[in-house]
Amino acid sequence: MLGKKYRRFAKFCVLEKYLAKGWLNLGRTEYSGRDRLWAGNRLADVYARCAFPEAKALDLQKPFVDVSGGGGASLERILDARAEYGAAMRSVYRDYWPAVRKICIEDEELIIQNPEEKQKLKALFSFNTKVDLCRGLDELIDFYRDWDKGRG
């Protein structure tokens, strides 16, 4: 079984499921569900390049031998990815960020854990979460278009 880091490449991610169900079409009409899928996948890719759990400081007392075969990420690339991720995170309105983070980065659906809640409330919560996700992804699309213009 693949680790959690590679899980999103082994099966449909939550965003792809939402696209197939038409739930990524709840935002602004100028963007399609595929545009929102692109923005969410780019955010997940940038987050993966940040190497948050893998990044460690070097112990300068020990001899350093590079056995990575050249495939490891350089510190400069990690810092660039972290700068892009931080800017992307700040571009999303804070009320939309929990839905964007949970679905795009953690690849999990937001659900109500309390079984006593009425079915209508669950449906409303689910719909509002999907709308928040689409609004947050719309903001990410705007951010990445500006980010790419500034780099290009």
Side-chain angles (χ1 to χ4, degrees):
M1 178 168 197
L2 295 175
K4 187 170 183 173
K5 179 178 176 183
Y6 300 102
R7 184 179 62 177
R8 70 180 292 106
F9 302 110
K11 64 176 184 167
F12 284 113
C13 66
V14 173
L15 270 180
E16 291 166 335
K17 290 177 188 176
Y18 282 13
L19 178 66
K21 292 178 180 181
W23 292 340
L24 291 185
N25 295 322
L26 300 174
R28 296 189 306 225
T29 56
E30 64 193 85
Y31 300 128
S32 69
R34 292 220 172 262
D35 293 333
R36 292 181 186 93
L37 176 68
W38 170 81
N41 284 337
R42 179 158 175 187
L43 180 69
D45 178 58
V46 169
Y47 181 80
R49 287 187 285 129
C50 288
F52 284 121
E54 294 93 19
K56 298 179 181 139
L58 291 175
D59 183 2
L60 299 177
Q61 299 295 330
K62 295 181 180 178
F64 177 70
V65 179
D66 185 9
V67 294
S68 66
S74 70
L75 181 60
E76 184 177 332
R77 286 185 182 172
I78 291 173
L79 293 176
D80 286 345
R82 288 183 181 187
E84 182 177 343
Y85 175 73
M89 186 173 61
R90 287 187 299 276
S91 75
V92 176
Y93 183 61
R94 67 179 176 188
D95 289 347
Y96 307 151
W97 180 249
V100 171
R101 176 168 174 74
K102 187 80 166 174
I103 294 168
C104 297
I105 295 174
E106 297 175 17
D107 195 27
E108 296 176 2
E109 295 192 48
L110 285 174
I111 57 172
I112 293 179
Q113 298 294 333
N114 188 356
E116 296 103 36
E117 294 293 332
K118 302 267 187 218
Q119 193 65 24
K120 191 173 183 179
L121 179 61
K122 284 185 182 180
L124 179 63
F125 174 81
S126 178
F127 178 78
N128 288 339
T129 300
K130 291 167 190 151
V131 170
D132 287 350
L133 170 68
C134 289
R135 289 176 178 166
L137 291 174
D138 290 347
E139 292 178 358
L140 274 178
I141 292 169
D142 293 338
F143 165 76
Y144 281 125
R145 286 185 176 171
D146 292 343
W147 182 267
D148 290 342
K149 282 181 189 174
R151 295 232 168 191

